[in-house]
Amino acid sequence: PKHSMKITRRFGRNVSFRRTLIKNLTTHLIRHEQILTTLHKAKELRRFADRMVVLSKKGTPQAVSLARKTITNKDVVDKLFREYPRRYLYRTCGFTRIRRAGFRSGDGAAMAIIEFIRDDQDMTPSDYGLKEEEL
């Protein structure tokens, strides 16, 4: 039935191409920490990128296996599980930011920069309303 369908953007492509597109965008975002893409692709990518950071915070072998299904490069998986859990130790969600970047000259598509938030370098648990013993 229509109401039980999972809501996702189709981008005018078939399922396998869409899946590959999201995998490649996720891999490049984690490798470069910010990428320029269309606004709709950035909004769809945010779901997958945030999910990868949550997996990296778990750090279990099963989480590594699930991340390898989405990320196409082993070095990027290593970077994800090495750097991101420390960076987002006190943050539970909202790891990415989307900034609008104008319009593409060829077809006028809305462009956006999607990037990982870097504000946790100076943050402490008390900034998030947490006490040290709650962690």
Side-chain angles (χ1 to χ4, degrees):
K2 182 176 183 178
H3 297 288
S4 65
M5 290 175 60
K6 190 170 185 176
I7 306 294
T8 182
R9 290 174 177 84
R10 294 194 177 144
F11 304 124
R13 294 167 169 91
N14 62 23
V15 175
S16 62
F17 193 88
R18 249 192 334 264
R19 195 172 292 141
T20 303
L21 175 72
I22 291 296
K23 285 180 177 185
N24 288 334
L25 285 173
T26 305
T27 302
H28 285 281
L29 177 62
I30 293 169
R31 177 185 292 146
H32 301 291
E33 300 196 3
Q34 80 172 20
I35 57 172
L36 176 68
T37 184
T38 63
L39 180 63
H40 293 290
K41 287 178 186 173
K43 286 181 178 181
E44 187 70 15
L45 174 60
R46 175 175 47 194
R47 296 171 50 202
F48 294 90
D50 285 354
R51 193 173 298 150
M52 290 300 109
V53 175
V54 170
L55 285 175
S56 75
K57 288 179 70 170
K58 288 183 181 178
T60 63
Q62 182 182 12
V64 175
S65 175
L66 289 172
R68 284 194 178 140
K69 287 183 179 180
T70 301
I71 300 170
T72 59
N73 188 326
K74 186 180 183 305
D75 296 333
V76 177
V77 173
D78 293 341
K79 176 183 178 179
L80 176 71
F81 281 85
R82 186 179 61 247
E83 295 177 12
Y84 287 74
R86 277 188 305 228
R87 183 189 299 180
Y88 299 115
L89 182 64
Y90 305 120
R91 184 181 284 270
T92 57
C93 61
F95 307 108
T96 54
R97 171 188 301 130
I98 296 176
R99 294 185 291 139
R100 291 175 184 262
F103 298 92
R104 191 161 48 199
S105 61
D107 59 358
M111 299 300 286
I113 296 172
I114 181 168
E115 61 189 355
F116 282 107
I117 294 175
R118 300 279 306 178
D119 68 351
D120 285 348
Q121 294 160 345
D122 301 323
M123 301 298 272
T124 62
S126 60
D127 294 332
Y128 290 96
L130 300 173
K131 298 176 184 167
E132 287 291 340
E133 56 269 4
E134 291 179 13
L135 303 174

